[in-house]
Amino acid sequence: MRALPSIIQGGMGVGVSDWRLARAVSARGQLGVVSGTALDVLLARRLQMGDPGGHVRRALDRFPVRAVAERILNRFYVPGGKAADRPFAPLPLADVDGPRELLELRVAGNFVEVSLAREGHDRPVGINYLEKVQLPHLASIYGAMLAGVGFVLMGAGIPSRIPGVLDGLVYHAPVTYPLSIARGGEGADTLLAFDPREIIDADLPPLTRPSFLAIVSSHVLAAALLKRSNGVVDGFVVEGPTAGGHNAPPRGKLQLNEAGEPIYGERDGVDLEAMRALGRPFWLAGGYGSAAGLRQALACGAAGVQVGTAFALCEESGVRADYKESLLAQVRAGTARVFTDPLASPTSFPFKVAQVDGTLSDPAVYEARTRVCDLGYLRDAYRKEDGTIGFRCSAEPVTVYVSKGGRIEDTVGRKCICNALVATVGLGQVRGHTTEPAIITAGDDLASVTQFMPEGATRYTAADVIASLLAPATEEVQARHPSSGHPSLKDSTEGHVFAGLS
Ligand SMILES: Cc1cc2nc3c(=O)[nH]c(=O)nc-3n(C[C@H](O)[C@H](O)[C@H](O)COP(=O)(O)O)c2cc1C
């Protein structure tokens, strides 16, 4: 595996860790990770917003197949941007084998994001996927590899078939991925297939295989992945239940505290001794966004930390500026609250929701929304009565879900986080006189982001986060700078950056 960073900026979907954030982090010698979720929709919508700055078009110019780039531009680019009250062009819902328009958007969308994140520096950039969101995997990973992605990270499931996919795509070979389907539905048609030659019409040299890091919540899963994967797992991110985004559910029967949040106990802890014994580098995630957190992780034998929340609120993140401002104002006022919602996500994994007025965390906003499922990333596959494969989501209109065999009790409290997360980065669909409401996820550690704000400032940058995490302990600072007491970024990065295991 290539040299290891001590800080991984966690992948944050949809579009929160976009190319700007990942580029800022990688350019400073740590690992910037773009989110690979829903990049097909983001590509189409950014072009319809007029592609301010021309970044998307610049990256599309580098795409190896001119005809694909041109088809996408012709269909979606709106010079000057669409009118604010006009809806975005709808995309077809994904199916087991396409459709072709989505395949092209996936390959190109992933290519664009990684390609832009790699501009202006020569450090590796990673991409993050959720195993659960399976239909786009193969084309997405191929697009990211075409752009030279250095690391693929995947959690929210058991990604044991991904290493083999990476190995195949290096040679532009056809690859497959088993679609998870409701019990008993497996069949010859549940193997997703992708042949790069469907997209690429020229002979291309082999690509570089990215390192693969699996995101796990336990050493048991890490060990199982090493044993059962169809290729090399290069390392692990070990993520605890305080982390932003989705959390692994507690082991055993789900119990809730008075506020209605899942209770985690001893059994949910990770045995770091067992992690070390696996002999692969690992990073700790979930509440490690501080200099003390990084030191603690390194002392435990980790290669470093993966940090999300701290980066989600920095200047370069994709979160809409007004949401960032209001969350940071709450943080400064000491009123910021994060609720671990056991119902919100159709995945049925607990999902952390920051409480922000005007977003889906507000019960009135949730109730007022008419259920629509037109992005469909979190749909589950099931076998229909006619023998074909269908897809359903517990956040889609209740009658539709039930008509597909879904249980009505599973629809209670479910939120369309596909549409909401796209809205969080300012690309929400317009429906009549309303725009899709956003949802903002953050870790339990949200209140601690004040540590990154330079004195007197109300905002901070990715560089502030990195400098703060790499700041040596006070005793070390005094030994090195007896007169100043303030570490410079240059000094503070010594010894940490790329200091990990190999
Ligand atoms: C806004 C936000 C979105 C996230 N989205 C994803 C995601 O799409 N995929 C993923 O694997 N992890 C996701 N995470 C988790 C982060 O990658 C990271 O592991 C986690 O935030 C670390 O814990 P911390 O928030 O305490 O720093 C998200 C976290 C945040 C704050």
Side-chain angles (χ1 to χ4, degrees), residues 10-13 16 37 128 130 215 239 242-245 285-287 306-309 312 441-443 445:
M12 296 179 282
V16 172
T37 307
N128 171 288
L130 299 165
I215 303 172
E239 197 184 68
T242 62
Q306 172 166 290
V307 175
T309 303
T441 177
D445 225 13

Side-chain angles (χ1 to χ4, degrees), residues 135-443:
L135 293 177
H137 277 343
L138 300 173
S140 298
I141 294 172
Y142 185 60
M145 285 174 64
L146 278 176
V149 77
F151 287 77
V152 169
L153 298 93
M154 193 181 283
I158 304 179
S160 60
R161 303 292 98 181
I162 292 295
V165 169
L166 302 179
D167 295 339
L169 290 177
V170 164
Y171 299 101
H172 312 276
V175 284
T176 58
Y177 197 82
L179 176 70
S180 305
I181 188 160
R183 202 184 303 266
E186 295 80 5
D189 57 351
T190 51
L191 201 58
L192 304 171
F194 172 70
D195 184 346
R197 272 165 301 195
E198 288 174 50
I199 299 288
I200 301 290
D201 49 9
D203 274 343
L204 294 180
L207 302 168
T208 305
R209 184 201 192 266
S211 301
F212 177 61
L213 306 183
I215 303 172
V216 297
S217 60
S218 77
H219 56 277
V220 180
L221 177 54
L225 278 167
L226 283 184
K227 205 183 261 174
R228 288 199 224 126
S229 292
N230 61 350
V232 175
V233 178
D234 297 282
F236 297 97
V237 172
V238 186
E239 197 184 68
T242 62
H246 284 97
N247 300 138
R251 269 163 267 280
K253 189 172 176 321
L254 181 67
Q255 290 185 314
L256 303 178
N257 64 17
E258 275 175 16
E261 298 173 300
I263 300 173
Y264 290 86
E266 288 254 309
R267 291 170 64 199
D268 300 300
V270 175
D271 180 346
L272 293 177
E273 185 65 52
M275 280 305 303
R276 279 195 297 272
L278 296 177
R280 297 290 153 98
F282 61 93
W283 289 258
L284 300 183
Y288 285 89
S290 64
L294 175 56
R295 276 197 297 275
Q296 189 192 338
L298 294 171
C300 293
V305 293
Q306 172 166 290
V307 175
T309 303
F311 286 111
L313 292 187
C314 78
E315 283 290 285
E316 293 92 340
S317 98
V319 173
R320 236 172 69 176
D322 53 339
Y323 291 141
K324 244 187 264 181
E325 246 166 59
S326 86
L327 253 185
L328 287 174
Q330 283 185 29
V331 167
R332 287 195 307 278
T335 55
R337 273 200 317 120
V338 174
F339 178 66
T340 307
D341 193 331
L343 297 178
S345 172
T347 60
S348 76
F349 277 30
F351 187 67
K352 292 232 193 294
V353 183
Q355 308 297 294
V356 181
D357 287 348
T359 69
L360 274 186
S361 65
D362 178 344
V365 173
Y366 173 65
E367 291 302 333
R369 178 180 183 270
T370 304
R371 284 181 173 229
V372 183
C373 177
D374 58 355
L375 296 181
Y377 294 101
L378 292 176
R379 291 171 302 158
D380 288 319
Y382 71 103
R383 183 71 63 188
K384 296 202 283 194
E385 272 173 19
D386 66 4
T388 60
I389 298 171
F391 294 92
R392 63 189 175 211
C393 176
S394 51
E396 73 183 326
V398 175
T399 48
V400 177
Y401 182 67
V402 172
S403 75
K404 294 173 178 174
R407 299 186 316 168
I408 195 162
E409 53 272 34
D410 291 341
T411 65
V412 177
R414 295 284 191 240
K415 299 184 163 83
C416 176
I417 62 175
C418 294
N419 269 295
L421 288 173
V422 174
T424 302
V425 296
L427 296 171
Q429 183 58 298
V430 177
R431 303 193 196 279
H433 297 296
T434 59
T435 300
E436 279 285 354
I439 195 162
I440 302 175
T441 177

